[in-house]
Amino acid sequence: MKRMKGFICMTAPSLLWCFRKIVLRRNQLLCLLMIFGFCYFLMRPVDVIDPEDYPFNDLDLEDFLVDTNHCKILDFEPDDPEVMCHFERVTYKPCKPYPPFTTTHYNATTQRYVLNINASDPTNSMSCCYMGVERVNEMHVSYTPCVKFKSGTQLANTTESVIVKCRTEGVQVYINGHPTIPERSAVRQRLKHWAQKDRGKRVPSVLMIGIDSISRVNLIRAMPKTAQYLYDNDWFEMAGYNKVDDNTFPNLMALLVGYNLSTVMKHCNPYEISGLDKCDFIWKLFQKHGYVTAYGEDAVEINTFNYMKRGFQHPPVDYYMRPYLFAAEKLLEGTNVKGMPHCVGYATEAEHVYNYAQEFAKRYHNDSFFGFFWTNTHSHSDISQTSSMDEYLRDYMQQLVAQGTMENSIVVFFSDHGLRFGPTRSTWSGHMEERLPFLFIWLPEFLRNGNPEFEESMRLNYNRLTTPYDLHLTLKHILSLTGRAGSLEDLGGAKDCPQCQSLLLPVPLSRSCEDVAIEDHWCTCWPYERVYKNSKVVQQMAEHVVQYLNDYVKSFRQGSLAYLCQPLTLLSMSEAYKAYLMDMYPSNIEIYRLIFYTNPNKALYEATVRFNDLLPDNESLSVTGSVSRLNEYNGEADCLEDFTIKKYCYCKNTLL
């Protein structure tokens, strides 16, 4: 591990003196005692940086993902021993040792899907039927009567997905599901109307493929073949992509709507019926300007817009995958891994989403489409599990190329944040990884050739601080390029980040976290020095944070839920750090990161506190961002259904 230059400079005269004495073979014992003293100085708990854990001053340029006067983001090695001791590569295993008995394919001539029974399988003694899945609302589906068929049958275009059952001698021997992208006259008319307006102009489609809880570093660690494929095939990476909030929902809302969590609650509250329907999602903007839209996400219980939320009153896009997966999770044979749905019928649930995305892109290859697809199941709960999908996703990208998707589509491959829980989260690498998701963008050749400045900007932005708000504006920029929606200015900015911008333009070198709506708690632009965790100042700050949490719970929703929760008290300090701030910050500002335990829930929290020496004592401390919960809290807050305060509440009935 690298040492601090400052420490070397401080000790150099004494060590030089000692060296001379040793050379002269005098006072050797005294020199050894001095060396021992310096070692003790390094290890004692005082307010100085710990060079073993937090190297900064001795780093070279290549040790930074971003290196400007306003932001320095450290680059961590994927094989960090602290993390690798918790990582174990997982082998991909097919859900079934044999292929499914039934398949579907789209017949372009009849413009209908055909459901087939594999010809090689015996069907004389087997009776098969299919039933359509129909959405009732976010939490309910219904099924059409089961229609018998023999070797094959055409599906009606009113049928979006089917469940197939086969029986032999009265015993069910087969069940599987097939989601489809049926032809719709209203969608086709929309596509034709805008294509006529284009007058032959080439319009790019957008395909977004996101994975929950994978940092940039863990993508390289767990899926090296996928990452190498992206690097080898000239995808553009944003290595300084920094999340803006704690979990999936607010980070995706920044991307899809341009709102922070506070603004979402005001304008399209997800806890109210039809609340989310009021949001100006980016897919609505694309749909309004002639695109066909789709959205699919696995793990229906924890879907981004449904977990402890009301979801959508009406389907948010033209092709909405949730009803099918709701039925598939319930009816098809399945398995769980790490508490998450894994196999659903003949494929993992993530593969259902990826296959649906591929089919959507294939069906509308010659049209303008916007597809948003998100998976949780192979990444949400464990740092290792996603490694099982490495070869699959590498091959998947190659399949998109083979079917021609990349020729006319901008493809965004991204995540929302790194792993938020577990043993790796308590490491320094884990702290940074949680805040630094991955972002890769593919630009088709015709767009690169026609706009070489885009390629130049994307390469330049590789080592600059970027956010989900920037990605939101990039999508609007793409839409503006079509000529269908006016200029980028006409489409409006990201409401809660006025200084954010499209990634197709050069990002300013002078960017800081404050410039782009990243609060101190989520900012990765500065390293931290370890400070004495039991000092009076640190204890006072920790007490302030605990009181902040209690006040937050008391005031949440006008105090209507406070009676359910036991007040917290400070149990003990785990660690404390002080930020090594850039020169741009005034000397009266100090930022601290505190990790501490509370009673009665034995919770491990991480908070960032800003100290302003110019303010009165009662105003000098402020908690920035939300306070992170680093250990799990299943069963502690079951009296609540609001994810916002669950991690801060220890239900009173839990004490009984």
Side-chain angles (χ1 to χ4, degrees):
M1 189 70 72
K2 298 180 177 101
R3 299 292 191 214
M4 288 174 52
K5 288 180 179 177
F7 173 74
I8 294 173
C9 293
M10 177 181 68
T11 61
S14 298
L15 290 177
L16 180 59
W17 173 85
C18 186
F19 177 74
R20 288 172 178 169
K21 292 294 185 182
I22 291 175
V23 171
L24 296 174
R25 299 179 180 272
R26 289 182 298 183
N27 296 324
Q28 294 180 359
L29 179 59
L30 177 62
C31 293
L32 290 174
L33 288 173
M34 287 187 67
I35 292 172
F36 175 81
F38 285 123
C39 292
Y40 173 76
F41 176 85
L42 273 180
M43 294 172 7
R44 70 190 183 98
V46 292
D47 294 342
V48 297
I49 193 169
D50 181 345
E52 285 293 332
D53 291 339
Y54 298 94
F56 174 62
N57 293 327
D58 199 33
L59 288 168
D60 299 322
L61 179 62
E62 60 267 22
D63 294 309
F64 291 99
L65 296 173
V66 176
D67 184 24
T68 72
N69 291 332
H70 296 75
C71 181
K72 294 182 183 294
I73 301 179
L74 290 169
D75 188 10
F76 284 82
E77 294 297 328
D79 58 354
D80 184 327
E82 276 194 303
V83 177
M84 290 303 293
C85 66
H86 302 288
F87 178 82
E88 184 177 356
R89 198 160 298 283
V90 179
T91 303
Y92 174 88
K93 295 180 181 178
C95 290
K96 301 280 187 181
Y98 40 83
F101 185 64
T102 54
T103 57
T104 57
H105 73 273
Y106 183 73
N107 187 316
T109 302
T110 62
Q111 297 186 332
R112 303 266 292 272
Y113 273 90
V114 178
L115 172 64
N116 284 319
I117 294 176
N118 294 340
S120 58
D121 293 317
T123 59
N124 292 335
S125 62
M126 188 178 294
S127 174
C128 296
C129 68
Y130 70 90
M131 54 186 186
V133 180
E134 297 182 343
R135 180 183 186 271
V136 177
N137 54 43
E138 292 284 73
M139 301 305 297
H140 296 91
V141 296
S142 63
Y143 305 98
T144 62
C146 214
V147 179
K148 291 185 177 181
F149 70 105
K150 286 294 185 180
S151 59
T153 184
Q154 284 192 342
L155 301 176
N157 281 335
T158 54
T159 301
E160 292 195 1
S161 58
V162 295
I163 302 294
V164 183
K165 300 178 180 180
C166 296
R167 305 174 72 87
T168 297
E169 298 179 355
V171 178
Q172 182 172 294
V173 293
Y174 175 82
I175 184 169
N176 198 17
H178 301 285
T180 61
I181 313 286
E183 183 70 9
R184 289 188 182 159
S185 58
V187 169
R188 184 56 60 189
Q189 288 174 9
R190 182 199 313 156
L191 293 169
K192 286 183 177 180
H193 170 76
W194 284 91
Q196 289 172 356
K197 283 190 171 185
D198 294 334
R199 297 180 180 180
K201 181 179 179 180
R202 202 167 181 181
V203 173
S205 292
V206 178
L207 179 63
M208 304 192 72
I209 301 172
I211 307 178
D212 181 79
S213 298
I214 298 186
S215 68
R216 173 186 179 271
V217 174
N218 201 40
L219 176 73
I220 298 170
R221 177 191 299 121
M223 294 196 280
K225 294 177 181 178
T226 301
Q228 193 62 54
Y229 175 83
L230 301 174
Y231 290 127
D232 289 344
N233 288 275
D234 207 22
W235 287 60
F236 299 104
E237 182 186 15
M238 302 294 111
Y241 189 58
N242 199 126
K243 75 174 189 175
V244 295
D245 210 323
D246 188 18
N247 54 21
T248 304
F249 180 74
N251 284 293
L252 288 192
M253 290 304 281
L255 189 168
L256 294 171
V257 187
Y259 288 174
N260 63 26
L261 189 56
S262 177
T263 304
V264 168
M265 294 302 177
K266 292 177 184 177
H267 292 280
C268 45
N269 193 327
Y271 302 111
E272 296 176 355
I273 295 175
S274 298
L276 283 171
D277 296 73
K278 300 174 185 177
C279 271
D280 294 324
F281 283 96
I282 194 72
W283 52 56
K284 286 185 180 179
L285 195 60
F286 276 85
Q287 186 183 65
K288 179 182 176 181
H289 292 94
Y291 280 65
V292 54
T293 59
Y295 162 45
E297 179 176 357
D298 64 0
V300 295
E301 286 191 7
I302 65 165
N303 271 188
T304 302
F305 306 107
N306 301 90
Y307 180 61
M308 298 185 183
K309 306 176 193 72
R310 294 286 191 171
F312 298 99
Q313 189 75 0
H314 305 285
V317 290
D318 294 313
Y319 294 99
Y320 189 33
M321 197 182 184
R322 180 175 172 83
Y324 166 73
L325 288 178
F326 193 96
E329 282 190 17
K330 183 177 180 180
L331 299 180
L332 305 188
E333 299 171 353
T335 59
N336 286 0
V337 173
K338 302 289 183 180
M340 298 292 291
H342 183 60
C343 286
V344 176
Y346 283 73
T348 67
E349 191 163 0
E351 288 173 298
H352 281 276
V353 174
Y354 296 138
N355 292 340
Y356 189 79
Q358 185 177 358
E359 177 68 6
F360 175 69
K362 182 179 180 180
R363 279 275 289 108
Y364 290 103
H365 171 71
N366 296 318
D367 303 293
S368 51
F369 65 79
F370 180 97
F372 185 88
F373 300 95
W374 187 260
T375 59
N376 307 281
T377 49
H378 64 82
S379 59
H380 180 271
S381 302
D382 179 71
I383 196 171
S384 302
Q385 185 61 34
T386 198
S387 63
S388 66
M389 298 295 288
D390 187 19
E391 288 192 20
Y392 174 89
L393 281 169
R394 188 268 318 273
D395 295 346
Y396 181 79
M397 296 298 181
Q398 293 174 333
Q399 290 166 14
L400 290 178
V401 172
Q403 72 176 27
T405 298
M406 317 301 278
E407 296 173 5
N408 202 50
S409 304
I410 295 167
V411 185
V412 182
F413 186 47
F414 70 107
S415 60
D416 51 353
H417 52 74
L419 202 64
R420 296 169 51 237
F421 303 101
T424 60
R425 176 56 185 81
S426 61
T427 67
W428 179 231
S429 179
H431 167 86
M432 294 290 284
E433 287 189 44
E434 185 206 5
R435 288 153 169 77
L436 294 170
F438 71 85
L439 172 59
F440 288 84
I441 300 176
W442 166 262
L443 294 183
E445 200 66 31
F446 84 90
L447 204 57
R448 299 186 194 216
N449 293 338
N451 305 88
E453 69 276 12
F454 293 167
E455 185 170 3
E456 182 180 350
S457 295
M458 297 284 272
R459 296 197 190 283
L460 190 67
N461 293 338
Y462 168 80
N463 284 120
R464 299 198 178 172
L465 177 65
T466 54
T467 77
Y469 293 116
D470 294 318
L471 187 50
H472 174 78
L473 289 167
T474 305
L475 295 174
K476 285 184 173 178
H477 193 171
I478 293 166
L479 185 56
S480 74
L481 297 176
T482 66
R484 297 178 174 184
S487 67
L488 179 56
E489 290 74 19
D490 295 333
L491 291 171
K495 177 179 174 59
D496 289 315
C497 188
Q499 295 188 58
C500 287
Q501 62 160 76
S502 166
L503 296 172
L504 298 177
L505 304 172
V507 168
L509 268 174
S510 59
R511 263 191 174 190
S512 67
C513 286
E514 287 182 313
D515 293 331
V516 288
I518 303 173
E519 295 185 271
D520 295 343
H521 188 57
W522 312 118
C523 184
T524 58
C525 280
W526 48 69
Y528 282 83
E529 305 169 341
R530 188 190 298 274
V531 298
Y532 182 38
K533 66 181 181 181
N534 291 320
S535 71
K536 183 178 179 180
V537 172
V538 168
Q539 289 288 320
Q540 288 175 341
M541 286 191 290
E543 292 283 2
H544 176 82
V545 177
V546 174
Q547 186 58 49
Y548 167 85
L549 293 179
N550 287 330
D551 291 343
Y552 181 76
V553 173
K554 285 180 184 178
S555 62
F556 188 79
R557 293 199 178 184
Q558 292 76 49
S560 60
L561 302 176
Y563 75 97
L564 296 169
C565 304
Q566 179 79 3
L568 305 179
T569 59
L570 180 65
L571 174 61
S572 63
M573 290 298 304
S574 175
E575 297 172 81
Y577 307 94
K578 181 181 177 182
Y580 188 98
L581 296 177
M582 308 292 111
D583 293 337
M584 62 172 288
Y585 290 89
S587 59
N588 60 291
I589 298 293
E590 294 179 348
I591 297 174
Y592 292 84
R593 182 163 66 91
L594 311 177
I595 303 175
F596 57 91
Y597 288 93
T598 58
N599 265 332
N601 53 355
K602 303 299 185 293
L604 182 62
Y605 290 115
E606 179 186 71
T608 302
V609 179
R610 178 176 283 219
F611 172 69
N612 189 335
D613 191 36
L614 297 182
L615 295 176
D617 289 346
N618 61 340
E619 300 176 11
S620 61
L621 296 178
S622 58
V623 178
T624 72
S626 62
V627 178
S628 298
R629 178 74 183 261
L630 303 188
N631 57 354
E632 294 185 359
Y633 47 96
N634 291 336
E636 292 183 6
D638 291 346
C639 60
L640 294 171
E641 293 186 357
D642 194 309
F643 81 96
T644 311
I645 64 168
K646 249 186 179 299
K647 58 186 176 181
Y648 309 134
C649 178
Y650 189 71
C651 293
K652 289 182 177 179
N653 58 15
T654 310
L655 296 173
L656 301 179

